[in-house]
Amino acid sequence: MTLKVYNTLKREKETFVPLKAGKVGMYVCGPTTYDFIHLGNARPLVVFDTVRRYLEYSGYEVDYIQNFTDIDDKIINRANEVGEDPIQLAARFVEEYFQDAKALNVRPATIHPKVSTHMGDIIAMIRKLEEKGHAYEMEGDVYFSIPSFKDYGKLSGRSQEDMQAGARVEVDERKRHAMDFALWKKVKPGEPSWDSPWGKGRPGWHIECSAMSQKYLGDSFDIHGGGQDLIFPHHENEIAQSEACTGNAPMARYWLHNGFITVNQEKMSKSLGNFFTLRQILKKFSGDVVRFYLLSTHYRSPLDFDDTKLEAAQKGLQRLRTGRRLLEEALKDAARQSGNRRPAAQREKLADQWTKTKHDFCEAMDDDFNTALALSLLFDLARETNAFLHGGEGLGAEDLELLRHVAETFDQLAGVMGIELAETAEAADDSLVDGLMDLLISLRGEARKKKDWATADKIRDGLKELAIIIEDTPQGARWKKG
RNA sequence: GGCGGCAUCGCCAAGUGGUAAGGCAAAGGUCUGCAAAACCUUUAUUCCCCGGUUCGAAUCCGGGUGCCGCCUCCA
């Protein structure tokens, strides 16, 4: 099977072929750390973390680089507002970022480079651009010269003429071309600054990604990811800087861009004021519900946000978890393992579904990471597994072996999506709670034997208040955290 | 004005030429003391509209309508 990815550069799906066999170099634009991330920021984190997991599942060794923009106008402005040192403020939100990422089960990148610790690399690249005639200095500022790079516009599909006509920003008169952009900004009073050949100053926004991706992944690498709004100007400018600097093209072979989160069909953004921070959302829903919700739509489609969507995601995820739990109980319940194996037809039906699931899952993910389809396959497998368990009492050795395979597949495939279905060890390992629950359940069992429904229901309702659900089964009552 | 995307059941959503996945919600049934969970059954002759190509289109082409995004910091 071959992986196909939609490449923004070509505007079509292409077969993915890495530069080096068995290895993938991947760069994803990370956040500017001046505040908590919002849900819109969370989407690329989850999407590209899933891309990474699937590449690894497919056997690739992945070098995953995600930067932090820790020097920037927004950071300086925020720092001035709250009276905090900008470098310190940025560092603080880097820490907060890692907490959010962990809640979403987003693994740390191989390397998380920061602008503030790569000044030498950035300055060296600007100098090289200057030497090659792609950059010019004006009174301490350095600009990239658009006309010096003939491919400018190839990612976003604009011609240089289009852009000149469409330029609405106030044009700095000193620039040679309206669209020339800053590589280095001369220091202003009260701003953090670094020494450079052009005097004190700080880097422009785009140069960091060119310098840092080159440092860690080389002149040319496999995948560059980010949100659709970065296509222009950010990624267009990265291409100009990197390819002008090295003379090699392409900077990245595959450009992947995720769609936006919208609220009432409008883009969620800070300027519209319609954003929700991840922290706000995590007060009502767990990180894996948010992750499940984000992956339930293809990554390039827009995704509309509201609570009802997350509630639906929560219930769907719960259904998968229940299926996984019933499976675990069957595997552990010695009483059911009576040796009366199921009819072969029943077993074959489940075995077929199991085989089909593994195959179709890869096919779905190979088709430009179709996580929505991939997740639906887990539902199909869950239904078939539940039906199998529902279809009789005893389980023979062959049945158990099959169920163990199914359980393993559930965990593996859900793991590719970054979702834990099996109860985690830490959640299961609470002997005090277990002991108390055993006691309550046995008391309730005695009440039920005496048909004392009032007492039995009081215990069940009381526990429900504490978010513990009691379910009666022919094998006795069981409980779970709601 | 330039460039791009989207329109599929009440809601979400997959499906790029072969006769509409999946989830949530809803209805009926099995199980249950009642529940819960699970299972079974039902719920789009139809994919924004109008033409066209084709043996055959949600899927391709043309036109229209509506919505959204980028072109300025933004994931």
Side-chain angles (χ1 to χ4, degrees):
Chain A
M1 282 184 286
T2 47
L3 171 62
K4 293 203 168 181
V5 301
Y6 182 88
N7 189 354
T8 304
L9 197 55
K10 304 283 176 57
R11 291 171 197 284
E12 64 186 14
K13 283 183 198 170
E14 294 185 313
T15 300
F16 177 76
V17 181
L19 274 170
K20 294 179 205 157
K23 295 196 176 189
V24 176
M26 187 169 166
Y27 187 96
V28 177
C29 290
T32 300
T33 51
Y34 69 109
D35 204 342
F36 294 105
I37 62 168
H38 67 239
L39 188 62
N41 304 119
R43 168 119 96 149
L45 296 184
V46 167
V47 163
F48 292 110
D49 179 66
T50 306
V51 167
R52 174 200 199 177
R53 286 169 186 263
Y54 183 64
L55 289 169
E56 288 179 350
Y57 176 76
S58 303
Y60 292 107
E61 190 181 307
V62 181
D63 248 341
Y64 187 81
I65 312 298
Q66 188 191 65
N67 68 304
F68 285 116
T69 301
D70 67 343
I71 296 166
D72 169 88
D73 290 350
K74 293 193 289 291
I75 294 171
I76 293 167
N77 291 341
R78 179 61 57 87
N80 288 340
E81 281 168 30
V82 300
E84 189 175 354
D85 174 67
I87 301 289
Q88 195 184 333
L89 177 131
R92 191 155 62 80
F93 281 111
V94 166
E95 292 311 309
E96 301 289 0
Y97 163 87
F98 279 117
Q99 275 194 40
D100 285 333
K102 191 177 176 194
L104 293 171
N105 202 19
V106 168
R107 290 162 49 203
T110 315
I111 300 171
H112 280 283
K114 295 177 194 169
V115 181
S116 63
T117 55
H118 289 74
M119 213 48 77
D121 302 299
I122 290 169
I123 289 169
M125 185 175 254
I126 299 175
R127 288 205 62 162
K128 200 161 174 192
L129 285 169
E130 215 177 12
E131 284 163 20
K132 289 193 162 192
H134 292 292
Y136 57 93
E137 186 200 346
M138 299 296 288
E139 301 162 23
D141 289 323
V142 182
Y143 293 101
F144 184 90
S145 166
I146 298 295
S148 78
F149 182 68
K150 64 173 171 43
D151 279 348
Y152 195 80
K154 69 178 176 183
L155 180 69
S156 53
R158 306 151 207 259
S159 66
Q160 294 193 19
E161 300 80 70
D162 286 347
M163 285 180 284
Q164 193 149 23
R168 288 185 201 164
V169 257
E170 209 176 302
V171 175
D172 183 336
E173 293 300 327
R174 300 171 309 161
K175 290 200 289 188
R176 294 179 190 169
H177 181 104
M179 292 303 290
D180 288 352
F181 58 90
L183 296 170
W184 189 261
K185 297 177 172 180
K186 185 183 178 177
V187 67
K188 293 186 193 123
E191 288 184 354
S193 65
W194 286 259
D195 287 321
S196 82
W198 316 280
K200 282 189 176 294
R202 60 190 168 91
W205 174 36
H206 316 291
I207 191 68
E208 63 184 75
C209 291
S210 288
M212 299 193 294
S213 67
Q214 187 183 61
K215 174 166 185 170
Y216 295 107
L217 297 173
D219 289 358
S220 194
F221 53 92
D222 297 301
I223 295 175
H224 192 125
Q228 272 168 3
D229 52 355
L230 295 183
I231 294 173
F232 191 89
H234 186 55
H235 289 164
E236 195 70 71
N237 291 353
E238 282 185 41
I239 289 175
Q241 293 162 337
S242 290
E243 295 183 5
C245 173
T246 64
N248 297 331
M251 172 198 189
R253 292 151 57 84
Y254 305 94
W255 288 83
L256 273 52
H257 292 98
N258 63 275
F260 295 120
I261 305 277
T262 58
V263 178
N264 296 323
Q265 317 301 331
E266 270 191 327
K267 178 181 171 183
M268 179 184 289
S269 75
K270 305 229 166 166
S271 48
L272 288 169
N274 62 348
F275 64 93
F276 293 83
T277 64
L278 188 60
R279 293 293 166 97
Q280 284 174 289
I281 293 166
L282 289 174
K283 281 182 187 161
K284 294 170 85 170
F285 298 95
S286 67
D288 45 18
V289 167
V290 176
R291 183 166 181 130
F292 185 88
Y293 156 77
L294 291 172
L295 294 176
S296 65
T297 298
H298 185 90
Y299 77 92
R300 281 190 284 115
S301 303
L303 213 195
D304 200 57
F305 168 79
D306 66 60
D307 275 13
T308 64
K309 315 254 166 79
L310 280 172
E311 279 158 18
Q314 185 167 44
K315 286 184 178 155
L317 180 56
Q318 212 163 58
R319 180 173 161 76
L320 292 179
R321 288 237 164 86
T322 300
R324 182 64 184 82
R325 187 166 51 88
L326 294 174
L327 188 49
E328 195 61 29
E329 282 170 10
L331 288 172
K332 283 183 178 158
D333 184 359
R336 292 186 71 178
Q337 300 172 13
S338 54
N340 299 325
R341 55 184 192 145
R342 298 295 179 78
Q346 251 188 54
R347 203 165 37 247
E348 265 167 40
K349 191 154 181 267
L350 178 58
D352 286 349
Q353 183 69 242
W354 171 60
T355 309
K356 183 175 173 350
T357 300
K358 287 188 293 183
H359 172 267
D360 290 358
F361 182 91
C362 289
E363 204 168 70
M365 291 300 279
D366 275 342
D367 184 15
D368 196 29
F369 310 105
N370 193 338
T371 55
L373 221 194
L375 285 175
S376 80
L377 298 168
L378 295 181
F379 282 100
D380 290 336
L381 182 61
R383 193 196 329 101
E384 212 55 63
T385 307
N386 288 337
F388 181 83
L389 294 172
H390 188 260
E393 278 303 307
L395 294 167
E398 287 169 70
D399 301 320
L400 289 165
E401 194 192 338
L402 174 58
L403 290 176
R404 267 190 285 273
H405 286 312
V406 171
E408 192 187 335
T409 296
F410 262 121
D411 294 342
Q412 209 168 42
L413 301 187
V416 171
M417 310 303 280
I419 306 269
E420 300 277 348
L421 288 185
E423 205 172 56
T424 54
E426 57 198 293
D429 184 27
D430 189 335
S431 55
L432 176 62
V433 170
D434 286 348
L436 291 169
M437 284 308 301
D438 286 348
L439 182 62
L440 278 169
I441 282 174
S442 83
L443 284 172
R444 178 164 173 275
E446 283 168 29
R448 291 184 74 219
K449 253 180 211 164
K450 287 184 266 179
K451 299 199 188 296
D452 177 4
W453 310 125
T455 302
D457 291 348
K458 188 174 179 184
I459 292 173
R460 188 172 65 193
D461 295 344
L463 286 169
K464 198 175 177 189
E465 294 286 310
L466 301 169
I468 289 173
I469 312 292
I470 296 289
E471 293 172 359
D472 294 315
T473 75
Q475 291 83 32
R478 61 163 173 247
W479 64 278
K480 65 173 180 179
K481 288 177 187 166

